[in-house]
Every structure is written in C-alpha cells, then in structure tokens.
Amino acid sequence: MRKRPLTAGLILALLAAPVSVSPVSAHDHDHERHDHDEARLAVQRGEIRPLAELLSMVRDKLPGEITGVEIERHHGQWLYEFIVVDKAGRMYEVHVDPQSGEIRKTREK
C-alpha cells in the first residue's frame, strides 16, 4: 500500500481547509505528482468524488477537526484517509470510501 500525503497547494485548490504537509525529497515529489495526477484523472473519470464533495458529505460524521488528508490506492481501490483531532486532543485516522462517502474504518492513533 502506497500512501502519499496531498500537498498544500493541491489541497487548497480542492478546498480551503487546514492540512498537514510533510517534507518530501525530489524523488518523492515526482511520485507525489504522479499520484496527484492519477487521483485527478480518477475524479475526471468518475471513479472517485472530489475531495471537497466528500468533505461536505462526511464532515458532521467525523469525531473532530480535520488536520490532514491522504489519498491512497490499496489493491487497486482508492481510499481517502482523514486525520482528525477531537476536542480532547485525541487523533483519529478515518478511512472514507471515495465514491459513496461511507466511513469504512475509524481508529485512534
């Protein structure tokens, strides 16, 4: 399973929300750009919903404030992973189906 965090520029283009950004090497940047291109094409093909649309679907169901977003492919299937911090400061990883907006899994980190 390959995880690549979305860059701040892409996230801001998709939705103006706070996100975490990790430093990347030049090699990682090339992979990250490829992953972003693949995700953008998947949205255009209708395989996944745009991030902003998913956020409007799931924001009230999440246990706190979204502090990061990743999109990944696992066994050929796309999956959004939201990093969420609740009012008590607990951090959660919330996996969301990119087509239906259904929350697949929530776990405390």
Side-chain angles (χ1 to χ4, degrees), residues 26 43 80:
V43 169
Y80 277 106

Side-chain angles (χ1 to χ4, degrees), residues 13-109:
L14 295 173
L15 113 124
V19 296
S20 63
V21 179
S22 59
V24 293
S25 69
H27 178 68
D28 286 343
H29 184 63
D30 290 340
H31 285 291
E32 190 174 299
R33 184 178 310 130
H34 181 272
D35 292 346
H36 293 166
D37 290 343
E38 286 297 314
R40 182 180 46 77
L41 290 172
V43 169
Q44 289 175 350
R45 289 189 299 261
E47 295 173 12
I48 62 176
R49 292 177 185 258
L51 178 58
E53 192 175 315
L54 279 174
L55 282 172
S56 69
M57 293 170 70
V58 301
R59 187 161 269 162
D60 333 349
K61 301 174 189 173
L62 298 175
E65 182 180 339
I66 299 167
T67 61
V69 179
E70 295 179 356
I71 187 164
E72 60 190 38
R73 285 182 67 99
H74 184 67
H75 300 293
Q77 300 294 317
W78 289 100
L79 184 70
Y80 277 106
E81 179 183 296
F82 296 99
I83 304 302
V84 179
V85 178
D86 70 7
K87 290 180 183 179
R90 293 181 300 243
M91 186 179 297
Y92 295 88
E93 198 174 87
V94 181
H95 293 228
V96 176
D97 180 281
Q99 194 50 258
S100 68
E102 176 185 335
I103 294 176
R104 298 286 179 150
K105 179 171 110 177
T106 302
R107 75 175 180 105
E108 191 171 353
K109 290 184 87 172

